[in-house]
Amino acid sequence: MNFVSTRGNTDSKSFSEAVRIGLAPDGGLFVPETLPDLSSELATWEGCSYTDICYRFFKFFATDIADGELKQLVESAYGQFDHSECAPLVSLDDRTSVLELFHGPTLAFKDFALQLLGKLYERQVALTGEPINVLGATSGDTGAAAINGLLGKPGINIFILYPEGRVSALQERQMACTGESNVYPISINGSFDDAQSSLKEVFGDKAFSESVNLSAVNSINLARILAQCVYYIYAWLKLPAETWARTTFVVPTGNFGNVLAGWMAYRMGMAVAGFRVATNRNDILHRFFASGDYSVGEATATLAPSMDIQVASNFERFIYFGSSENAEKTRNAMETFKATGAFETTDPEILQSMSSTRMDDNEIKTVIAEVYRKYGYIVDPHTACGFKDLHEFEHCVVLSTAHPAKFPETIEETLHVSSEHPSLEALKSRKIVKYPLAASAAAIKEFINSKQTPVETK
Ligand SMILES: *Cc1c(COP(=O)(O)O)cnc(C)c1O
């Protein structure tokens, strides 16, 4: 299987190359040359373990990795999850289930992709002998998950920029209390957007990024999307077969990576009723699915901070597949979007493929209280956004994207119960090691350079 760019102007690449490069050189995102048809295959995976399904799925894509090695990579990637099923499906009533995606080491769904990506980077370094410097910017969960995926890996340094004072205290501890010497949490004096724009400038300096073999860890990496397809398939196979085609997946959404993965599994043959995009007050995607208008506004802070996003980078892959894999159309749409900050479509194939909702902070609190009263179950503020208008569905699976203990203030204020997790409690007594820097590309480059010697490889 080869991988091509959504904008059509990049030579096709192997799986490992596409994963290493991240963003395609023509500015597009990597996608499989063709989506495999798994419709007859999927049902034969019923009863398989999570890692076995993951391995069977990746065999279609990671064709340049030997079977035995792939199996080992997958098994080690999910070895640190604290639930034997990795993604248990919990039934709330006979129409509603929750897919718990918070059993990984940093308690949010991003671990599913970043634990595996960490193993793939490690393999790359071992194969080439070349050290990698990974750079990312985070408003919270991604940074913690990326750092955890690369903890202590030989030949890999990880630098994560985050806005000082604007990630939660626990999220900062998850990044800054690891005790590993290859981890550099960089607190930026500025906003998330300042961090993001310095990061882009650093990557824009090609001479620098090549000199230190810089790699981006963000949600555009193809391996992340594919890793996320797996838990949809796993959950679907856990449902009674007679409800498969009558089930809707409800996905709390920010950057559109999570729901896109489910939709891709659908395009490969996982027959479901549909997908629901659940947004918070930052509702660009809700406005899009309601009216066809995708235009950027200002991101505002909400109780569900990991969804406080205005530009959904993975939307480009959706446009590409939604327009029958037309790279020219995708390129034009993205160019229009870049020039005007807006994009419009009336294409029913695109608009009708998902429904959407929006929830403000008051509703989030009401839902947390209601779900607790009705089911005795605690949802975090992101997951809460999914619990809107579920009566419209015959059957639904709400994806739970984070453990409630990551957001103890909201839970305690709403339910008057404390929400704790042992792995977070353990962090509270550890030393914070972070590196404050100005939001300047020059300062970041100088910092990265200063950490280059000695780098050991295996
Ligand atoms: C990242 C994140 C989201 C949003 O997921 P996308 O793939 O960006 O749509 C939702 N909830 C939590 C807890 C997250 O960490």
Side-chain angles (χ1 to χ4, degrees), residues 317-357:
R317 287 190 170 104
F318 180 61
I319 300 292
Y320 175 80
F321 287 111
S323 63
S324 309
E325 314 184 8
N326 186 325
E328 196 185 327
K329 260 197 191 168
T330 311
R331 200 163 58 234
N332 291 338
M334 296 321 292
E335 273 163 15
T336 304
F337 180 69
K338 195 172 173 201
T340 65
F343 157 73
E344 271 180 56
T345 183
T346 50
D347 185 344
E349 219 203 300
I350 290 184
L351 292 177
Q352 286 162 20
S353 55
M354 296 185 194
S355 67
S356 63
T357 55

Side-chain angles (χ1 to χ4, degrees), residues 108-110 141 252-258 306-307 309 380 382 401-402:
F109 82 89
K110 294 188 173 75
D141 290 331
T253 297
N255 233 324
F256 203 71
N258 199 356
S306 300
M307 291 157 57
I309 282 163
D380 94 289
H382 301 80
T401 51

